[in-house]
Amino acid sequence: MQPSQYMITQPTDGVWTELASDQHLQLQLDALKPQITDVAAVPTMAVKANIGVAGLARSAGSKVLEADRPVVDAPVVAALKTAGYVVAGTTNMHELAFGISSENADYGPVRLPGHPTRSAGGSSGGSSVAVAEGSVDIALGTDTGGSVSIPASHCGIYGLRPSTGRWPGAGVTGLSWTRDTAGVFARNLAQLQVVDAIITGQSAAKHSAERLRLGVPTQLLEALDPHTEQVVNLALEKLEQHAVLVEVDYAPILEQLTDAEQPVVLWESRRLLASVAAQTFDMAPQAGFEHLAKHVGSPDVASLLHAELANPVSPDSYASAQRSIMQARSGYDQLLAKHKLDALVFPTTPAPAPLLGSEGLVEHLGEPAPIFPLYTRNTAQGTMLGAPMLTLPLPVPSHELPVGVTLQGARFEDRQLLTIAAKVDAACSA
């Protein structure tokens, strides 16, 4: 086996933060020799730069953290390596995962394949593009507020955000223990099923002959971009021939979660990032966080960190936010049970990929709109609920921007969601 056949020789600008060297690839291949029967069948993967890969920088998309070089793999990486995957490199992202455009000041923007003036989404933009352009078979990302779902939708590929806590979270530079999880991108649903089975040891649930019951949250279909609306409505029309679609009022759950989102992330990210900074810079946590805030490259991320330093979230605000999340999770479980729903289905984002260089604002339905709340409008709620979310690409003409639809299931019913997704994917693609 020659490591050169697994090397990315012509990397797309902005997609990678570090490529595996010949030596790094050879070490991986040597470890696989006892189990390899077909050299050509060895699958490759990319890993988001905030997930630990032994010997590569866990920069989290920030040059100031390039000194953080793990000596062991994060468990999600180790599981896939053991199963025969080879890591081709680490991928670019929105710096520190604190955004959804992957416009990174240190490593460059991650551009949408085929539409280079547009964002590939984030924060796991590099991983999504590495799969979409065919550089690797699969890629790992992380998701706090939609960071797997959004780039999967923008890039027209499949993305799985597991239930929070179902996949091991060690070895990851994250933002929120309440919301974070690693996830995976692939070009087909079967690959998602394989990866999930490798990491969890669980296989997909058996198919049921019963007709699916899918909830359609009315609030998540409001104020859609005309292109997104047209593509999603056509998909729902096709889906209605194979499933029972039930309109549900999602307002009570959204109301409980809206005010909790920011306090939770700012409280938890400060502590998680301070811990990483303390170890990387050999400083006390507070000093490490201040050093990180001073040296991050992306202005929007620096602004967030400095805001947290200037006006930290209070313990009472954080406790109140956690109570709201627990109440919303209970309400979500009751909603699914009341309507006997297998999952919810809704457009992943209200609009397709935005133009790069928008500086935080995009035009939506003729009006300026802040990019972050617009593009996380449909995804953030599920991450607060800790629910599994699986994004499917919908059919669009080859010259049109991709549009994705997300299936959201009950917490820890990921295997069932993967089975449901196969039926929905077939229906929408017909």
Side-chain angles (χ1 to χ4, degrees), residues 42-329:
V42 174
T44 57
M45 67 174 177
V47 179
K48 187 177 179 181
N50 64 337
I51 302 174
V53 179
L56 299 181
R58 183 171 48 198
S59 67
S62 184
K63 286 190 179 292
V64 71
L65 290 178
E66 283 187 340
D68 181 11
R69 289 186 172 267
V71 295
V72 296
D73 297 316
V76 287
V77 174
L80 290 167
K81 277 188 176 182
T82 301
Y85 286 79
V86 169
V87 176
T90 52
T91 50
N92 195 11
M93 54 186 283
H94 206 106
E95 191 166 7
L96 301 183
F98 247 139
I100 51 86
S101 70
S102 293
E103 294 190 60
N104 188 300
D106 285 347
Y107 298 96
V110 185
R111 301 177 184 275
L112 183 65
H115 303 271
T117 62
R118 293 186 178 267
S119 163
S123 61
S124 308
S127 287
S128 187
V129 172
V131 169
E133 68 182 12
S135 296
V136 291
D137 296 297
I138 65 160
L140 292 176
T142 63
D143 191 305
T144 305
S147 293
V148 168
S149 305
I150 293 167
S153 178
H154 286 357
C155 292
I157 60 173
Y158 296 79
L160 172 64
R161 182 222 135 83
S163 297
T164 302
R166 184 167 173 269
W167 284 18
V172 178
T173 298
L175 296 177
S176 169
W177 53 80
T178 296
R179 301 173 68 183
D180 279 349
T181 180
V184 61
F185 300 95
R187 287 187 294 278
N188 60 62
L189 192 56
Q191 290 173 311
L192 297 187
Q193 293 170 332
V194 167
V195 170
D196 185 74
I198 289 169
I199 291 174
T200 66
Q202 300 172 333
S203 57
K206 294 181 180 179
H207 286 268
S208 170
E210 294 184 8
R211 193 173 177 88
L212 292 177
R213 288 180 61 85
L214 300 174
V216 183
T218 55
Q219 290 78 13
L220 303 188
L221 271 76
E222 295 174 350
L224 300 179
D225 174 270
H227 172 59
T228 299
E229 185 174 37
Q230 181 181 21
V231 173
V232 169
N233 284 345
L234 179 58
L236 292 178
E237 288 174 11
K238 292 179 179 179
L239 189 54
E240 201 163 17
Q241 301 173 28
H242 303 271
V244 177
L245 301 185
V246 182
E247 284 193 0
V248 296
D249 181 11
Y250 213 48
I253 290 172
L254 294 176
E255 289 168 4
Q256 287 178 311
L257 294 173
T258 299
D259 292 338
E261 182 177 352
Q262 190 174 46
V264 164
V265 170
L266 292 180
W267 172 279
E268 295 177 355
S269 64
R270 176 164 182 172
R271 284 147 181 83
L272 290 170
L273 292 175
S275 177
V276 170
Q279 184 173 358
T280 304
F281 308 139
D282 193 22
M283 296 178 176
Q286 175 68 12
F289 188 83
E290 291 173 356
H291 183 81
L292 183 63
K294 184 178 179 180
H295 290 91
V296 293
S298 303
D300 60 329
V301 178
S303 178
L304 283 167
L305 300 185
H306 285 297
E308 172 56 20
L309 282 169
N311 188 25
V313 175
S314 71
D316 286 345
S317 294
Y318 178 68
S320 176
Q322 285 287 8
R323 285 193 295 271
S324 294
I325 291 170
M326 294 303 108
Q327 291 166 0
R329 289 182 177 183

